[in-house]
Amino acid sequence: MIQTLAFYLFAFLVIASGVFTIMARNPVHSVLWLILAFFNAAGLMVMVGAEFIAALLVIVYVGAVAVLFLFVVMMLDIDFAELRAGFVKNFPLGIAIALVLLAELVLGIGAYRAGAIELGVPNGSAAPLMDRSNIESLGAVLYGEYLFLFETAGLILLVAMVGAIVLTHRERPEGARGHQNIGKQIGRRPEDATEMKRPEVGKGVEL
């Protein structure tokens, strides 16, 4: 009984959070509703025994992606009037994309009902380990049979991260606010540093 109540609670909150994510006028509020949707989706994953997917939703999507969205939205100076004007301008294109996605969804449902595609015969190598959680079983597969593919995916993500940093890095002119001279900071001598004084009351500070 409690499982059914928990399922309907999490499912309702996921759907409601998704609706509020789309309907919220403030982008910051949209990101916060999206975070709530991720948390409740993680609860659903825990209920079906997929705790690894739940951990990914919380750690990756909430802890990284959604928080990154939140900081980017808060740091950007968004002109809401211009944003609404762009929405009206691109509304026909959005409708066309929505129709294409709807057609793909209907086609996918029809293909699913027609029968699954036979991609191969399982050899039992990816079978879950006995008396182990799905996280341990998944780890055994990733770091066993698919170790090199997993490491390659990590290297690709690392290169993508470095590329994003290089593309967004901006050189600040000398003397501009926030400019840092790394060589000057490293070569600083102790005698050039600020010396903290604790003058007595009424004595002042020696300059």
Side-chain angles (χ1 to χ4, degrees):
M1 182 63 181
I2 188 172
Q3 293 90 343
T4 305
L5 293 177
F7 169 78
Y8 282 113
L9 176 62
F10 286 135
F12 172 77
L13 290 177
V14 167
I15 297 174
S17 301
V19 172
F20 283 118
T21 300
I22 300 173
M23 301 299 294
R25 294 180 177 271
N26 193 325
V28 177
H29 295 168
S30 296
V31 177
L32 293 177
W33 284 115
L34 182 63
I35 292 175
L36 181 61
F38 284 148
F39 270 116
N40 288 280
L44 288 175
M45 294 298 104
V46 171
M47 290 188 59
V48 298
E51 61 268 14
F52 180 75
I53 305 298
L56 285 181
L57 282 172
V58 175
I59 297 174
V60 177
Y61 285 95
V62 176
V65 178
V67 175
L68 177 63
F69 287 166
L70 184 60
F71 276 101
V72 169
V73 169
M74 292 175 66
M75 292 176 64
L76 291 178
D77 187 13
I78 300 177
D79 188 358
F80 290 100
E82 183 180 354
L83 189 64
R84 295 189 185 95
F87 174 80
V88 175
K89 179 181 178 181
N90 297 317
F91 185 76
L93 178 61
I95 292 296
I97 294 175
L99 291 176
V100 171
L101 294 177
L102 179 61
E104 291 180 350
L105 182 61
V106 173
L107 182 62
I109 294 175
Y112 173 77
R113 291 182 176 179
I117 300 177
E118 294 293 339
L119 298 178
V121 179
N123 56 7
S125 60
L129 302 178
M130 296 299 294
D131 299 328
R132 301 292 183 179
S133 64
N134 63 343
I135 295 180
E136 293 174 316
S137 300
L138 185 58
V141 174
L142 285 180
Y143 292 101
E145 183 178 356
Y146 299 101
L147 175 62
F148 294 106
L149 295 177
F150 187 73
E151 295 293 337
T152 303
L155 288 176
I156 293 174
L157 291 175
L158 177 61
V159 172
M161 181 182 67
V162 174
I165 294 174
V166 171
L167 291 175
T168 57
H169 178 68
R170 294 180 298 174
E171 290 289 344
R172 297 182 183 271
E174 187 73 26
R177 182 179 181 183
H179 175 76
Q180 289 183 328
N181 190 336
I182 306 299
K184 184 178 179 181
Q185 293 177 359
I186 296 176
R188 184 181 62 118
R189 301 178 302 171
E191 53 268 22
D192 296 335
T194 303
E195 183 179 356
M196 300 298 296
K197 294 286 188 178
R198 293 183 178 275
E200 298 178 6
V201 178
K203 296 295 183 64
V205 181
E206 295 181 3
L207 298 178

